[in-house]
PDB file of all heavy atoms in Angstrom:
ATOM      1  N   PHE A 402      69.484  97.371  60.778  1.00 90.00           N
ATOM      2  CA  PHE A 402      68.059  97.008  60.704  1.00 90.00           C
ATOM      3  C   PHE A 402      67.254  97.859  61.670  1.00 90.00           C
ATOM      4  O   PHE A 402      66.182  98.357  61.327  1.00 90.00           O
ATOM      5  CB  PHE A 402      67.875  95.524  61.013  1.00 90.00           C
ATOM      6  CG  PHE A 402      66.443  95.145  61.178  1.00 90.00           C
ATOM      7  CD1 PHE A 402      65.559  95.287  60.107  1.00 90.00           C
ATOM      8  CD2 PHE A 402      65.957  94.705  62.384  1.00 90.00           C
ATOM      9  CE1 PHE A 402      64.219  94.973  60.249  1.00 90.00           C
ATOM     10  CE2 PHE A 402      64.614  94.379  62.530  1.00 90.00           C
ATOM     11  CZ  PHE A 402      63.737  94.522  61.468  1.00 90.00           C
ATOM     12  N   LEU A 403      67.775  98.001  62.881  1.00 89.00           N
ATOM     13  CA  LEU A 403      67.072  98.794  63.882  1.00 89.00           C
ATOM     14  C   LEU A 403      66.818 100.208  63.362  1.00 89.00           C
ATOM     15  O   LEU A 403      65.713 100.741  63.451  1.00 89.00           O
ATOM     16  CB  LEU A 403      67.887  98.834  65.181  1.00 89.00           C
ATOM     17  CG  LEU A 403      67.318  99.673  66.314  1.00 89.00           C
ATOM     18  CD1 LEU A 403      66.013  99.073  66.808  1.00 89.00           C
ATOM     19  CD2 LEU A 403      68.318  99.752  67.462  1.00 89.00           C
ATOM     20  N   GLY A 404      67.876 100.803  62.808  1.00 89.00           N
ATOM     21  CA  GLY A 404      67.746 102.158  62.281  1.00 89.00           C
ATOM     22  C   GLY A 404      66.730 102.247  61.159  1.00 89.00           C
ATOM     23  O   GLY A 404      65.865 103.134  61.133  1.00 89.00           O
ATOM     24  N   LYS A 405      66.820 101.303  60.251  1.00 90.00           N
ATOM     25  CA  LYS A 405      65.929 101.324  59.090  1.00 90.00           C
ATOM     26  C   LYS A 405      64.492 101.034  59.494  1.00 90.00           C
ATOM     27  O   LYS A 405      63.549 101.596  58.938  1.00 90.00           O
ATOM     28  CB  LYS A 405      66.398 100.287  58.054  1.00 90.00           C
ATOM     29  CG  LYS A 405      67.680 100.680  57.367  1.00 90.00           C
ATOM     30  CD  LYS A 405      67.449 101.836  56.438  1.00 90.00           C
ATOM     31  CE  LYS A 405      68.707 102.337  55.784  1.00 90.00           C
ATOM     32  NZ  LYS A 405      68.502 103.688  55.243  1.00 90.00           N
ATOM     33  N   TYR A 406      64.363 100.152  60.452  1.00 89.00           N
ATOM     34  CA  TYR A 406      63.018  99.799  60.897  1.00 89.00           C
ATOM     35  C   TYR A 406      62.337 100.988  61.544  1.00 89.00           C
ATOM     36  O   TYR A 406      61.155 101.261  61.331  1.00 89.00           O
ATOM     37  CB  TYR A 406      63.122  98.620  61.879  1.00 89.00           C
ATOM     38  CG  TYR A 406      61.787  98.069  62.292  1.00 89.00           C
ATOM     39  CD1 TYR A 406      60.857  97.667  61.327  1.00 89.00           C
ATOM     40  CD2 TYR A 406      61.458  97.943  63.633  1.00 89.00           C
ATOM     41  CE1 TYR A 406      59.625  97.165  61.701  1.00 89.00           C
ATOM     42  CE2 TYR A 406      60.228  97.425  64.008  1.00 89.00           C
ATOM     43  CZ  TYR A 406      59.312  97.046  63.039  1.00 89.00           C
ATOM     44  OH  TYR A 406      58.102  96.544  63.420  1.00 89.00           O
ATOM     45  N   ARG A 407      63.114 101.707  62.298  1.00 87.00           N
ATOM     46  CA  ARG A 407      62.589 102.907  62.932  1.00 87.00           C
ATOM     47  C   ARG A 407      62.204 103.921  61.862  1.00 87.00           C
ATOM     48  O   ARG A 407      61.191 104.611  61.962  1.00 87.00           O
ATOM     49  CB  ARG A 407      63.647 103.446  63.905  1.00 87.00           C
ATOM     50  CG  ARG A 407      63.461 104.840  64.405  1.00 87.00           C
ATOM     51  CD  ARG A 407      62.203 105.059  65.244  1.00 87.00           C
ATOM     52  NE  ARG A 407      61.900 106.490  65.259  1.00 87.00           N
ATOM     53  CZ  ARG A 407      60.684 107.001  65.223  1.00 87.00           C
ATOM     54  NH1 ARG A 407      59.630 106.213  65.191  1.00 87.00           N
ATOM     55  NH2 ARG A 407      60.513 108.307  65.227  1.00 87.00           N
ATOM     56  N   GLU A 408      63.025 103.960  60.781  1.00 89.00           N
ATOM     57  CA  GLU A 408      62.741 104.875  59.686  1.00 89.00           C
ATOM     58  C   GLU A 408      61.399 104.513  59.051  1.00 89.00           C
ATOM     59  O   GLU A 408      60.607 105.388  58.692  1.00 89.00           O
ATOM     60  CB  GLU A 408      63.872 104.796  58.656  1.00 89.00           C
ATOM     61  CG  GLU A 408      63.877 105.958  57.686  1.00 89.00           C
ATOM     62  CD  GLU A 408      64.985 105.822  56.663  1.00 89.00           C
ATOM     63  OE1 GLU A 408      66.075 105.355  57.045  1.00 89.00           O
ATOM     64  OE2 GLU A 408      64.752 106.157  55.492  1.00 89.00           O
ATOM     65  N   PHE A 409      61.194 103.223  58.935  1.00 89.00           N
ATOM     66  CA  PHE A 409      59.914 102.761  58.385  1.00 89.00           C
ATOM     67  C   PHE A 409      58.762 103.329  59.213  1.00 89.00           C
ATOM     68  O   PHE A 409      57.788 103.843  58.685  1.00 89.00           O
ATOM     69  CB  PHE A 409      59.878 101.229  58.360  1.00 89.00           C
ATOM     70  CG  PHE A 409      58.504 100.670  58.215  1.00 89.00           C
ATOM     71  CD1 PHE A 409      57.841 100.749  56.990  1.00 89.00           C
ATOM     72  CD2 PHE A 409      57.842 100.105  59.297  1.00 89.00           C
ATOM     73  CE1 PHE A 409      56.551 100.251  56.851  1.00 89.00           C
ATOM     74  CE2 PHE A 409      56.562  99.600  59.167  1.00 89.00           C
ATOM     75  CZ  PHE A 409      55.905  99.678  57.942  1.00 89.00           C
ATOM     76  N   HIS A 410      58.901 103.209  60.520  1.00 87.00           N
ATOM     77  CA  HIS A 410      57.833 103.712  61.379  1.00 87.00           C
ATOM     78  C   HIS A 410      57.643 105.202  61.244  1.00 87.00           C
ATOM     79  O   HIS A 410      56.520 105.711  61.292  1.00 87.00           O
ATOM     80  CB  HIS A 410      58.141 103.354  62.844  1.00 87.00           C
ATOM     81  CG  HIS A 410      57.781 101.955  63.183  1.00 87.00           C
ATOM     82  ND1 HIS A 410      56.544 101.594  63.628  1.00 87.00           N
ATOM     83  CD2 HIS A 410      58.513 100.816  63.108  1.00 87.00           C
ATOM     84  CE1 HIS A 410      56.500 100.290  63.821  1.00 87.00           C
ATOM     85  NE2 HIS A 410      57.676  99.796  63.516  1.00 87.00           N
ATOM     86  N   ARG A 411      58.722 105.907  61.044  1.00 87.00           N
ATOM     87  CA  ARG A 411      58.648 107.365  60.869  1.00 87.00           C
ATOM     88  C   ARG A 411      57.921 107.706  59.589  1.00 87.00           C
ATOM     89  O   ARG A 411      57.051 108.563  59.563  1.00 87.00           O
ATOM     90  CB  ARG A 411      60.056 107.955  60.849  1.00 87.00           C
ATOM     91  CG  ARG A 411      60.301 108.879  62.008  1.00 87.00           C
ATOM     92  CD  ARG A 411      61.484 109.803  61.864  1.00 87.00           C
ATOM     93  NE  ARG A 411      62.089 109.908  60.563  1.00 87.00           N
ATOM     94  CZ  ARG A 411      63.268 109.394  60.263  1.00 87.00           C
ATOM     95  NH1 ARG A 411      63.938 108.727  61.167  1.00 87.00           N
ATOM     96  NH2 ARG A 411      63.777 109.528  59.043  1.00 87.00           N
ATOM     97  N   LEU A 412      58.297 106.990  58.526  1.00 89.00           N
ATOM     98  CA  LEU A 412      57.654 107.260  57.236  1.00 89.00           C
ATOM     99  C   LEU A 412      56.158 106.991  57.338  1.00 89.00           C
ATOM    100  O   LEU A 412      55.336 107.748  56.829  1.00 89.00           O
ATOM    101  CB  LEU A 412      58.273 106.375  56.143  1.00 89.00           C
ATOM    102  CG  LEU A 412      59.697 106.730  55.726  1.00 89.00           C
ATOM    103  CD1 LEU A 412      60.269 105.659  54.814  1.00 89.00           C
ATOM    104  CD2 LEU A 412      59.718 108.085  55.038  1.00 89.00           C
ATOM    105  N   TYR A 413      55.849 105.909  57.999  1.00 88.00           N
ATOM    106  CA  TYR A 413      54.430 105.561  58.185  1.00 88.00           C
ATOM    107  C   TYR A 413      53.724 106.658  58.949  1.00 88.00           C
ATOM    108  O   TYR A 413      52.625 107.090  58.586  1.00 88.00           O
ATOM    109  CB  TYR A 413      54.324 104.222  58.917  1.00 88.00           C
ATOM    110  CG  TYR A 413      52.906 103.733  59.006  1.00 88.00           C
ATOM    111  CD1 TYR A 413      52.381 102.910  58.000  1.00 88.00           C
ATOM    112  CD2 TYR A 413      52.073 104.107  60.063  1.00 88.00           C
ATOM    113  CE1 TYR A 413      51.077 102.465  58.062  1.00 88.00           C
ATOM    114  CE2 TYR A 413      50.763 103.660  60.127  1.00 88.00           C
ATOM    115  CZ  TYR A 413      50.267 102.836  59.121  1.00 88.00           C
ATOM    116  OH  TYR A 413      48.977 102.404  59.183  1.00 88.00           O
ATOM    117  N   GLY A 414      54.370 107.112  60.026  1.00 87.00           N
ATOM    118  CA  GLY A 414      53.792 108.181  60.829  1.00 87.00           C
ATOM    119  C   GLY A 414      53.587 109.445  60.036  1.00 87.00           C
ATOM    120  O   GLY A 414      52.650 110.207  60.269  1.00 87.00           O
ATOM    121  N   GLU A 415      54.479 109.699  59.074  1.00 90.00           N
ATOM    122  CA  GLU A 415      54.342 110.903  58.245  1.00 90.00           C
ATOM    123  C   GLU A 415      53.446 110.660  57.038  1.00 90.00           C
ATOM    124  O   GLU A 415      53.350 111.484  56.133  1.00 90.00           O
ATOM    125  CB  GLU A 415      55.732 111.333  57.756  1.00 90.00           C
ATOM    126  CG  GLU A 415      56.613 111.881  58.866  1.00 90.00           C
ATOM    127  CD  GLU A 415      58.070 112.003  58.432  1.00 90.00           C
ATOM    128  OE1 GLU A 415      58.343 111.866  57.223  1.00 90.00           O
ATOM    129  OE2 GLU A 415      58.925 112.228  59.301  1.00 90.00           O
ATOM    130  N   LYS A 416      52.831 109.491  57.002  1.00 88.00           N
ATOM    131  CA  LYS A 416      51.903 109.104  55.947  1.00 88.00           C
ATOM    132  C   LYS A 416      52.563 109.044  54.571  1.00 88.00           C
ATOM    133  O   LYS A 416      51.924 109.226  53.553  1.00 88.00           O
ATOM    134  CB  LYS A 416      50.683 110.037  55.908  1.00 88.00           C
ATOM    135  CG  LYS A 416      49.864 109.991  57.195  1.00 88.00           C
ATOM    136  CD  LYS A 416      48.465 110.474  56.946  1.00 88.00           C
ATOM    137  CE  LYS A 416      47.606 110.639  58.192  1.00 88.00           C
ATOM    138  NZ  LYS A 416      47.782 109.667  59.263  1.00 88.00           N
ATOM    139  N   ARG A 417      53.844 108.816  54.561  1.00 89.00           N
ATOM    140  CA  ARG A 417      54.547 108.642  53.274  1.00 89.00           C
ATOM    141  C   ARG A 417      54.538 107.160  52.945  1.00 89.00           C
ATOM    142  O   ARG A 417      55.568 106.478  53.017  1.00 89.00           O
ATOM    143  CB  ARG A 417      55.959 109.194  53.385  1.00 89.00           C
ATOM    144  CG  ARG A 417      55.975 110.716  53.493  1.00 89.00           C
ATOM    145  CD  ARG A 417      57.189 111.249  54.193  1.00 89.00           C
ATOM    146  NE  ARG A 417      58.408 111.038  53.419  1.00 89.00           N
ATOM    147  CZ  ARG A 417      59.618 111.374  53.835  1.00 89.00           C
ATOM    148  NH1 ARG A 417      59.762 111.927  55.035  1.00 89.00           N
ATOM    149  NH2 ARG A 417      60.678 111.154  53.087  1.00 89.00           N
ATOM    150  N   PHE A 418      53.320 106.672  52.601  1.00 88.00           N
ATOM    151  CA  PHE A 418      53.115 105.238  52.520  1.00 88.00           C
ATOM    152  C   PHE A 418      53.913 104.524  51.432  1.00 88.00           C
ATOM    153  O   PHE A 418      54.491 103.468  51.687  1.00 88.00           O
ATOM    154  CB  PHE A 418      51.625 104.921  52.376  1.00 88.00           C
ATOM    155  CG  PHE A 418      50.830 105.375  53.564  1.00 88.00           C
ATOM    156  CD1 PHE A 418      49.687 106.136  53.406  1.00 88.00           C
ATOM    157  CD2 PHE A 418      51.260 105.070  54.850  1.00 88.00           C
ATOM    158  CE1 PHE A 418      48.959 106.560  54.512  1.00 88.00           C
ATOM    159  CE2 PHE A 418      50.536 105.502  55.953  1.00 88.00           C
ATOM    160  CZ  PHE A 418      49.373 106.254  55.787  1.00 88.00           C
ATOM    161  N   PRO A 419      53.969 105.072  50.224  1.00 87.00           N
ATOM    162  CA  PRO A 419      54.726 104.328  49.201  1.00 87.00           C
ATOM    163  C   PRO A 419      56.183 104.134  49.603  1.00 87.00           C
ATOM    164  O   PRO A 419      56.770 103.075  49.433  1.00 87.00           O
ATOM    165  CB  PRO A 419      54.608 105.210  47.957  1.00 87.00           C
ATOM    166  CG  PRO A 419      53.424 106.091  48.200  1.00 87.00           C
ATOM    167  CD  PRO A 419      53.342 106.285  49.672  1.00 87.00           C
ATOM    168  N   GLU A 420      56.784 105.200  50.167  1.00 89.00           N
ATOM    169  CA  GLU A 420      58.182 105.075  50.601  1.00 89.00           C
ATOM    170  C   GLU A 420      58.302 104.052  51.706  1.00 89.00           C
ATOM    171  O   GLU A 420      59.234 103.236  51.726  1.00 89.00           O
ATOM    172  CB  GLU A 420      58.691 106.417  51.122  1.00 89.00           C
ATOM    173  CG  GLU A 420      58.986 107.427  50.034  1.00 89.00           C
ATOM    174  CD  GLU A 420      59.333 108.766  50.628  1.00 89.00           C
ATOM    175  OE1 GLU A 420      60.429 108.884  51.212  1.00 89.00           O
ATOM    176  OE2 GLU A 420      58.490 109.684  50.538  1.00 89.00           O
ATOM    177  N   ALA A 421      57.355 104.116  52.653  1.00 89.00           N
ATOM    178  CA  ALA A 421      57.377 103.173  53.766  1.00 89.00           C
ATOM    179  C   ALA A 421      57.274 101.752  53.251  1.00 89.00           C
ATOM    180  O   ALA A 421      57.989 100.848  53.707  1.00 89.00           O
ATOM    181  CB  ALA A 421      56.240 103.491  54.733  1.00 89.00           C
ATOM    182  N   ALA A 422      56.380 101.586  52.285  1.00 88.00           N
ATOM    183  CA  ALA A 422      56.178 100.247  51.730  1.00 88.00           C
ATOM    184  C   ALA A 422      57.447  99.732  51.083  1.00 88.00           C
ATOM    185  O   ALA A 422      57.857  98.589  51.283  1.00 88.00           O
ATOM    186  CB  ALA A 422      55.046 100.294  50.715  1.00 88.00           C
ATOM    187  N   ARG A 423      58.065 100.608  50.306  1.00 89.00           N
ATOM    188  CA  ARG A 423      59.288 100.193  49.619  1.00 89.00           C
ATOM    189  C   ARG A 423      60.346  99.789  50.635  1.00 89.00           C
ATOM    190  O   ARG A 423      61.005  98.765  50.502  1.00 89.00           O
ATOM    191  CB  ARG A 423      59.813 101.374  48.782  1.00 89.00           C
ATOM    192  CG  ARG A 423      59.698 101.154  47.283  1.00 89.00           C
ATOM    193  CD  ARG A 423      60.568 102.133  46.533  1.00 89.00           C
ATOM    194  NE  ARG A 423      60.409 103.490  46.990  1.00 89.00           N
ATOM    195  CZ  ARG A 423      59.490 104.347  46.531  1.00 89.00           C
ATOM    196  NH1 ARG A 423      58.635 103.970  45.610  1.00 89.00           N
ATOM    197  NH2 ARG A 423      59.412 105.574  47.012  1.00 89.00           N
TER     198      ARG A 423
END
Side-chain angles (χ1 to χ4, degrees):
Chain A
F402 170 63
L403 178 66
K405 289 289 176 198
Y406 186 54
R407 165 64 200 143
E408 196 182 322
F409 163 73
H410 279 272
R411 244 197 12 252
L412 289 171
Y413 186 90
E415 290 167 11
K416 298 201 187 323
R417 290 154 68 182
F418 297 130
E420 285 174 71
R423 249 196 312 272

